[in-house]
């Protein structure tokens, strides 16, 4: 049995290590930088760098890297060794403060959406001391932000840090109004629950679609899917259990507090949840978690699939973004609290979130839009593409009574006067029943459930933080001017509930009635990525981000280009993979089986033996094969057709309507054929084989 507290964070240059290894004044200066985001002087950086290097060498590291998160959605690293020649044919192991605080990777091959002209393609990476350095595979990794030389963000971390600052600033204004003198900062916290699939590595390697696109582009339904619901929370199979144990340890070493693990609904599907942390750290940790999941799976002879929809017909994978606000004194601002005063403050933050979600439904939808997630949102397993909020009956009753000024008919009948009456306590189980809501209040946090399993949580949290910052700004503007604070507060909360309660929906988000009802309420229903993305650069949204200094307008336009381009590229690669697989394995399988049937027919005919089975089968398969071939041609033409389009939005729509739709069409016929062709000829692993491959 390993000593877990000793193991935990053993590969992290964390606070404990810093305190142990840095001179007191340096430690203090560094802490100040971490806490207040202040500039780090070079002489301080030099001492920190040296201590880091000594620590890293003791832990077996030979290299260092600035670890960053470009717009590709995955992390990037370029390793440099600590080696420096000493002039006498020997080497020293060196690492300077300059190397710690700033890196200059040649960044011309990362997506920039036109932000950098190619002649100034260099970007730089800057240390983010709020996320601890760590050792991975013998390399000291320094979490960094990635910018162009003119200061434009080229990554996901920079705007995330900016959005946390924006929210801090506005939330502090509200807290000041309520007289919180001891608080100096407000942080956002996130706990992302991560879903994934595990299949046998041999199966994975036999499916080019999984290798190139992360999902199966074909596959007839297996006789058994998830209908028995016997997998959810089921006992862990030995191989899975061994994987999870190993994964936990790897994550713990990196200071990632992996906490919960269980089987999910679909066969071969699982989930991992960490204990929440500040958004910035949670984002870094989630990126690392996904990377390490794949690595550990490989070690166990399995492949970890993080795609949102690896298999049609069974549930896809998502990520629940549990989000809250907390003070540096440790108080959760979405906790209703016990006193009328705490309740009133809670209601300000709650209604700010309600208003934010209603006014920026489009942005929340954009934040989870991807080709992969289009398979989930709106299908009968994930929240719909319509953004709405669940607050639970009890809280809804309270909001209603505040709005109408009437008596609250809950457990206690009280007139809701903000700042005077105590809210009843919400037990978690009264707020956590509805699993179909895209955005649910769960007692002391919100759970945003529309995220796909692969997405970096940076995007959704940048948006969440910024939209809530904006509402808090409006609230603070109004309340700071008030002569009678309590009366103004009551008025503000009442008005906000009245104007934005349409976003609250406590019913079944999967039902067809909700789609109709939501349309009646005027809620957006942006079904696909190409429909959703253009709303990102609407006037309203550009004003929001520029006002809070989270994005400049050009950064937004470049991000829009990158997001749509990513969408089109994904569909393009899927289409090419599909075409290739049909030609290289599906057609040969069909022809082989047809050939066998044909020789049976002619052989039997020569003997005057009945051969209606063979003839019937052959006829059906031939017709289907012709149909498949025709659909293949249509898809090939559709792919070529994209070359003629230059407009970004048009290109997105084209990929959805012409290419993706024709892929679906082709798949249908191929899946029918799979169900008829002998498994002797069908070389691709089947759904049944893949989903039940790990024992
Ligand atoms: P489930 O949604 O599966 O019922 P929980 O609601 O208990 O599970 O927790 C899910 C995630 O929410 C965990 O990662 C947990 O750490 C996180 N969480 C709990 N409190 C907060 C908070 N104040 N801020 C952010 N995340 C939180
Ligand atoms: Mg959850």
């Amino acid at each position: 049995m390993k000593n877990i507290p000793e193991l935990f964070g053993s590969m992290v240059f964390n606070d404990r290590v810093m305190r142990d290894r840095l001179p007191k004044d340096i430690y203090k200066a560094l802490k100040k930088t971490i806490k207040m985001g202040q500039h780090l002087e070079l002489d301080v950086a030099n001492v920190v760098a040296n201590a880091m290097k000594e620590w890293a060498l003791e832990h077996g590291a030979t290299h260092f890297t600035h670890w960053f998160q470009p717009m590709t959605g995955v992390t990037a690293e370029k390793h440099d060794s600590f080696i420096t020649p000493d002039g006498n044919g020997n080497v020293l192991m060196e690492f300077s403060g300059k190397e710690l605080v700033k890196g200059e990777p040649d960044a011309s091959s990362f997506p920039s959406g036109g932000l950098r002209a190619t002649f100034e393609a260099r970007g730089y990476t800057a240390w983010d001391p709020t996320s601890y350095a760590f050792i991975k595979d013998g390399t000291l990794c320094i979490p960094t932000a990635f910018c162009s030389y003119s200061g434009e963000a080229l990554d996901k971390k920079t705007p995330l840090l900016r959005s946390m600052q924006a929210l801090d600033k506005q939330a502090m204004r509200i807290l000041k109004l309520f007289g919180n003198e001891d608080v100096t900062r407000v942080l956002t916290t996130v706990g992302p629950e991560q879903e994934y699939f595990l299949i046998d590595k041999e199966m994975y390697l036999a499916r080019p679609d999984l290798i190139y696109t992360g999902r199966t582009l074909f596959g007839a339904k297996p006789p058994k899917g998830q209908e028995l619901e016997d997998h959810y929370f089921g006992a862990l199979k030995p191989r899975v259990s061994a994987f999870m144990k190993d994964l936990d340890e790897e994550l713990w070493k990196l200071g990632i507090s992996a906490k919960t693990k269980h089987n999910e609904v679909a066969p071969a599907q699982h989930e991992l949840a960490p204990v929440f942390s500040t958004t910035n750290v949670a984002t870094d940790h989630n990126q690392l978690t996904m990377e390490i999941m794949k690595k550990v799976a490989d070690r166990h002879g399995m492949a970890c699939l993080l795609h949102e929809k690896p298999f049609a017909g069974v549930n896809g994978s998502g990520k629940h973004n549990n989000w809250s606000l907390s003070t540096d004194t440790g108080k959760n601002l979405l906790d209703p609290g016990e006193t009328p005063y705490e309740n009133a403050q809670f209601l300000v933050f709650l209604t700010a979130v309600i208003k934010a979600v209603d006014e920026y439904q489009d942005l929340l939808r954009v934040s989870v839009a991807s080709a992969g997630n289009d398979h989930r949102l709106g299908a009968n397993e994930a929240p719909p593409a319509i953004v709405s909020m669940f607050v639970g009956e009890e809280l809804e009753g309270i909001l209603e009574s505040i709005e109408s000024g009437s008596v609250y008919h809950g457990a206690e009948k009280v007139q809701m006067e903000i700042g005077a009456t105590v809210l009843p306590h919400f037990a978690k189980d009264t707020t956590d029943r509805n699993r179909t809501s895209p955005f649910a209040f769960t007692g002391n946090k919100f759970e945003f459930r529309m995220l796909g399993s692969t997405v970096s949580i940076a995007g959704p949290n940048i948006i969440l933080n910024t939209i809530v910052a904006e509402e808090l700004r409006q609230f603070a503007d109004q309340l700071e001017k008030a002569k009678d604070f309590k009366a103004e507060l009551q008025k503000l909360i009442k008005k906000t509930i009245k104007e934005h309660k349409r976003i609250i929906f406590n019913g079944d988000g999967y039902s067809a009635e909700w789609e109709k009802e939501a349309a009646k309420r005027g809620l957006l229903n942006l079904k696909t990525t190409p429909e959703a993305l253009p709303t990102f650069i609407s006037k309203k949204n550009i004003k929001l981000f520029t006002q809070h200094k989270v994005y400049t307008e050009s950064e937004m336009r470049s991000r829009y280009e990158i997001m749509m381009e990513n969408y089109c590229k994904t569909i393009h690669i899927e289409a090419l993979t599909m075409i290739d697989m049909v030609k290289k394995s599906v057609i040969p399988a069909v022809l082989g089986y047809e050939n066998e049937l044909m020789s049976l027919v002619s052989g039997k005919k020569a003997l005057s033996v009945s051969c209606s089975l063979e003839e019937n089968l052959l006829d059906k398969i031939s017709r289907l094969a012709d149909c498949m071939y025709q659909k293949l041609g249509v898809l090939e033409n559709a792919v070529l057709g994209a070359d003629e389009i230059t407009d970004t939005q048009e290109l997105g729509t084209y990929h959805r309507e012409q290419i993706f739709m024709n892929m679906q069409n082709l798949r249908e016929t191929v899946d029918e054929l799979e169900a008829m062709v002998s498994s002797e000829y069908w070389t691709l692993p089947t759904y049944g084989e893949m989903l039940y491959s790990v024992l």
Side-chain angles (χ1 to χ4, degrees), residues 189-193 271 273-276 320 322-324 332 428 432 435 442 444-445 447:
T189 51
V190 168
E193 300 165 59
E271 182 183 296
V275 176
F276 69 95
H320 289 177
N322 293 274
W323 177 92
S324 191
N332 181 348
K428 183 179 150 68
D432 201 25
R435 310 300 293 180
T442 51
N444 61 6
K445 61 182 158 63
E447 188 166 337

Side-chain angles (χ1 to χ4, degrees), residues 206-356:
R207 294 282 314 208
D209 44 3
L210 284 179
I211 294 172
Y212 296 136
T213 75
R215 74 179 181 101
T216 54
L217 301 171
F218 309 106
K221 280 199 171 50
K224 179 178 187 262
Q226 64 189 47
E227 47 287 278
L228 291 180
E229 295 176 333
D230 51 351
H231 193 255
Y232 191 54
F233 282 14
L236 301 176
K237 303 213 171 93
R239 268 179 88 186
V240 173
S241 178
F243 158 83
M244 286 180 172
K245 196 164 167 279
D246 201 359
L247 175 64
D248 275 343
E249 281 181 14
E250 291 294 330
L251 295 177
W252 291 338
K253 277 189 219 164
L254 291 172
I256 300 172
S257 49
K259 173 95 177 157
T260 313
K261 51 187 182 183
H262 60 80
N263 284 350
E264 261 299 329
V265 174
Q269 193 185 28
H270 314 279
E271 182 183 296
L272 177 142
V275 176
F276 69 95
S277 49
T278 58
T279 311
N280 178 31
V281 171
T283 304
D284 288 357
H285 282 182
N286 184 248
Q287 291 298 124
L288 274 172
T289 301
M290 291 193 285
E291 181 186 325
I292 290 165
M293 275 178 165
K294 291 195 166 193
K295 225 183 265 171
V296 174
D298 188 70
R299 228 160 45 206
H300 287 253
M302 298 186 284
C304 173
L305 310 178
L306 289 168
H307 194 280
E308 285 81 4
K309 193 75 180 174
F311 304 101
V314 297
N315 276 5
S317 298
K319 185 137 61 185
H320 289 177
N321 190 81
N322 293 274
W323 177 92
S324 191
L325 296 154
S326 102
T327 64
D328 58 350
T329 53
K331 191 176 159 11
N332 181 348
L333 296 172
L334 290 177
D335 191 306
E338 310 283 345
T339 63
Y341 152 88
E342 284 175 326
N343 287 175
Q345 187 179 291
F346 160 71
L347 285 171
V348 171
F349 285 101
L350 177 78
T351 48
V353 179
I354 293 173
K355 184 165 185 276

Side-chain angles (χ1 to χ4, degrees), residues 482-499:
K483 292 208 177 69
D484 179 346
F485 178 69
K486 230 167 110 179
E488 192 70 18
L489 185 65
Q490 180 99 15
K491 204 172 95 191
L492 171 74
I493 290 179
K494 211 167 153 168
K495 178 167 171 271
T496 309
I497 296 169
K498 192 178 164 68
E499 286 173 0

